[in-house]
Amino acid sequence: MYFFVIHVFLGVLLCAPYQCTECPFGCECFAATRTVKCIRKDLRTMPQRIPGYARTVIVTGNKIYGIGPGSFTELENVTNLVLSNNSISEVASHSFSALSNLRFLDLSGNQLALIHPEALSIPGSPLQELNLSQSLYNSTSLTDLATALRWGGLGGLLRLDLSGNHLVLLPPGMFSQLHNLQHLLLTSNYLAAVYNGTFSGLKHLEVLDLTHNAFRTFGADALGELGRLGHGHILLGHNPYMCSCEIRDLVAWLNNSWAQVTDVEAARCASPRGLHNASLRGLGIQAIGCSVAAPAKVTDLSLQTSYVFLGLVLGFVGMVFLLVLYLNRKGMKKWIIDTRDACRDVMEGYHYRYEIDSDPRLGHLSTNSTVGRVPGHFRPATSPQLPSDTCIAQIPTDTQLKQVTTPPPMNL
C-alpha cells in the first residue's frame, strides 16, 4: 500500500504540469527529461501527436523520405530536433516554421536532393546550431542549400556543420547572411581552393575547420580571404600539401605571428618524397627549390648598372657612326652635290615645260608630232617627252619666226 501511494504520487507529480497523452506508436516518451525518441522503428512519416511537454525529439534510423510544414504541428516547445539517418531527400518550404523555439537541428546522414529556398525559414530566427554533415546528395543540393542559407533568415545561427559532403567548391557569398556565425566546420571534403568572397559576411567567426580536404597550397587570394577572418582559429592540418616553390606564400603566412592556425604542426608536406611529412612552419626557401629573392636595394642597383651599360654601348655606336662619316666626308660631299645638281636639273625641266604650257602665244601650236606649213607661220613638231633628269635649254618665247622663200634654181 505504501509503495502504491508513492507510485501514484510520482505519476501525478510528473503529469501535473502537462497533459498526459499517449506516446506515438513506435516511440518512447520520457516526461521527466521531456524527451521523445523514435529510433529505428521503420517509420515512413514523422510521428504525430507528440506530447506537448517534449523539448527534445529524436527521430533517427527510419525511412522518412520527405518533410513539410505539416510534419511538426503543435511542437512549439521543442528546442532540439534530431532527424539524422532517415533517408530524407526533400525538405519543403517552411518545414520547420511551426518550431518557434527550435535551437538545434540535426539533419546529418540523410540524402538531401531538393531543398526549398525557404525550407529553413523560422519566424524570429531562433535556430543556433545546424548539422548537415554527410547529408547532401549532389552538387545541385549544394546550390539549393546555398540559396536556403541566404533566404532562410538564419541571422542567429552560431554553428554550421557541413563536413563529409564531398564538397569540391563553395559558392561565393554562400555564408554572406550568417553574420553571427561562430563555428564553420568544412572538414572531410574535397575542397582544393578558396576564392575571393567565399567567407564574406563572417564577421564573428571563431573557428574555421578546413582539415582533411584536398588543399595542395594556398595562393595570395586565398590567404587574403583567410586573413580577413580576423583573429579566429583556423585549422589547416591533414591536407596533401605540395611543398614546391608555389607554397612559399603559405609558409611565410604561417610564420607570421598573426596567423591563427591552431593545428600548425598537423600542416605537413605530402610531396615531394624528399620533404614528406616535413612541417610547413619553418620550412626554408632553399628546401622547396626557390632561389632567395634579392633585396630591393640590390635589385635597384643592378637595374641602374644595366642602364649605365646601355648608355655606354649607345655612345660607342654613335662615335663609330660619326667616325665613318668623317672618313668618307669627300665622298659624302660629292654625293650631296651630285644629288643637288640632279634635283636642280629636274626642277628646271619642270619649270620650262610649265612656261611653255602657260604661254598664251603658243596656245595655237599643234601638239602633233609632224611638221606642217600654215600661211605665214612655221608649225614645229612636238618633240618626244624627255627624261625627267635631262637638261633643256630655254628658248626665248618672244622670238618671231619669219618665212624664208627659196629662189628657184637657175638653168645654166
Side-chain angles (χ1 to χ4, degrees):
M1 184 65 180
Y2 177 74
F3 292 102
F4 177 77
V5 173
I6 294 177
H7 181 73
V8 173
F9 176 76
L10 291 176
V12 174
L13 181 63
L14 293 175
C15 294
Y18 320 105
Q19 181 181 359
C20 292
T21 59
E22 295 182 359
C23 195
F25 173 78
C27 299
E28 298 177 337
C29 301
F30 304 91
T33 58
R34 305 178 186 181
T35 302
V36 176
K37 294 183 178 180
C38 309
I39 301 176
R40 297 186 184 92
K41 300 300 181 179
D42 199 25
L43 300 177
R44 304 289 176 169
T45 59
M46 283 297 301
Q48 300 297 317
R49 298 180 181 179
I50 295 177
Y53 62 78
R55 296 291 185 271
T56 301
V57 176
I58 303 175
V59 182
T60 64
N62 296 284
K63 297 181 180 179
I64 303 173
Y65 298 108
I67 54 178
S71 301
F72 307 101
T73 57
E74 299 180 358
L75 295 179
E76 60 274 3
N77 294 323
V78 172
T79 58
N80 302 304
L81 179 61
V82 180
L83 301 176
S84 59
N85 302 304
N86 284 309
S87 301
I88 298 175
S89 61
E90 180 178 353
V91 182
S93 174
H94 296 91
S95 295
F96 309 100
S97 59
L99 306 174
S100 57
N101 291 300
L102 187 63
R103 301 289 187 271
F104 174 79
L105 175 61
D106 186 356
L107 290 171
S108 62
N110 288 288
Q111 299 177 0
L112 301 179
L114 181 60
I115 305 174
H116 192 274
E118 296 182 345
L120 302 174
S121 179
I122 303 175
S125 184
L127 194 62
Q128 296 180 355
E129 296 187 33
L130 177 60
N131 187 356
L132 294 173
S133 61
Q134 301 179 6
S135 62
L136 301 182
Y137 181 72
N138 53 22
S139 58
T140 303
S141 57
L142 173 62
T143 305
D144 292 347
L145 175 61
T147 305
L149 292 178
R150 295 192 190 103
W151 291 82
L154 301 175
L157 193 65
L158 302 179
R159 180 184 175 91
L160 175 61
D161 189 351
L162 293 175
S163 59
N165 280 304
H166 306 286
L167 302 179
V168 178
L169 56 86
L170 298 173
M174 179 177 179
F175 313 107
S176 58
Q177 300 302 317
L178 308 180
H179 303 297
N180 294 311
L181 192 66
Q182 297 178 359
H183 294 77
L184 178 58
L185 308 181
L186 297 170
T187 184
S188 301
N189 286 293
Y190 297 133
L191 298 175
V194 174
Y195 304 98
N196 286 332
T198 299
F199 302 117
S200 62
L202 301 180
K203 302 178 181 179
H204 302 283
L205 195 65
E206 297 179 358
V207 176
L208 174 62
D209 191 349
L210 295 175
T211 59
H212 296 283
N213 277 279
F215 293 107
R216 301 173 71 88
T217 185
F218 285 89
D221 294 341
L223 295 177
E225 186 71 12
L226 295 178
R228 283 189 286 271
L229 295 178
H231 298 284
H233 298 286
I234 303 174
L235 288 80
L236 299 177
H238 305 288
N239 282 291
Y241 294 112
M242 177 181 289
C243 293
S244 60
C245 192
E246 289 75 14
I247 207 171
R248 57 185 176 183
D249 291 338
L250 175 59
V251 172
W253 186 74
L254 291 175
N255 290 329
N256 289 334
S257 58
W258 52 266
Q260 302 296 324
V261 180
T262 56
D263 64 338
V264 65
E265 294 300 326
R268 296 180 174 274
C269 301
S271 61
R273 182 177 300 177
L275 294 175
H276 179 71
N277 205 33
S279 178
L280 294 184
R281 173 170 283 185
L283 193 64
I285 299 299
Q286 294 82 1
I288 59 179
C290 292
S291 58
V292 180
K297 294 183 179 179
V298 177
T299 304
D300 294 341
L301 181 59
S302 61
L303 186 61
Q304 295 176 2
T305 305
S306 300
Y307 287 149
V308 172
F309 179 75
L310 179 61
L312 292 176
V313 171
L314 294 178
F316 178 75
V317 172
M319 291 179 62
V320 172
F321 179 73
L322 294 177
L323 179 61
V324 171
L325 291 180
Y326 177 76
L327 295 177
N328 294 275
R329 60 187 183 279
K330 294 182 179 180
M332 293 293 297
K333 181 178 181 181
K334 183 178 181 301
W335 178 78
I336 293 174
I337 293 174
D338 293 343
T339 304
R340 182 192 63 187
D341 294 341
C343 293
R344 181 186 298 171
D345 294 342
V346 172
M347 294 305 297
E348 288 180 353
Y350 280 115
H351 182 69
Y352 171 71
R353 293 183 60 185
Y354 172 77
E355 288 183 348
I356 292 178
D357 293 340
S358 61
D359 193 345
R361 293 176 296 178
L362 299 178
H364 62 280
L365 296 179
S366 175
T367 59
N368 295 331
S369 59
T370 60
V371 178
R373 292 181 178 271
V374 294
H377 294 278
F378 173 76
R379 184 173 60 186
T382 58
S383 60
Q385 185 176 3
L386 298 176
S388 59
D389 57 348
T390 303
C391 296
I392 302 176
Q394 182 176 1
I395 302 175
T397 57
D398 57 349
T399 304
Q400 297 182 355
L401 300 178
K402 296 183 180 180
Q403 182 176 4
V404 179
T405 305
T406 305
M410 297 179 63
N411 296 326
L412 300 176

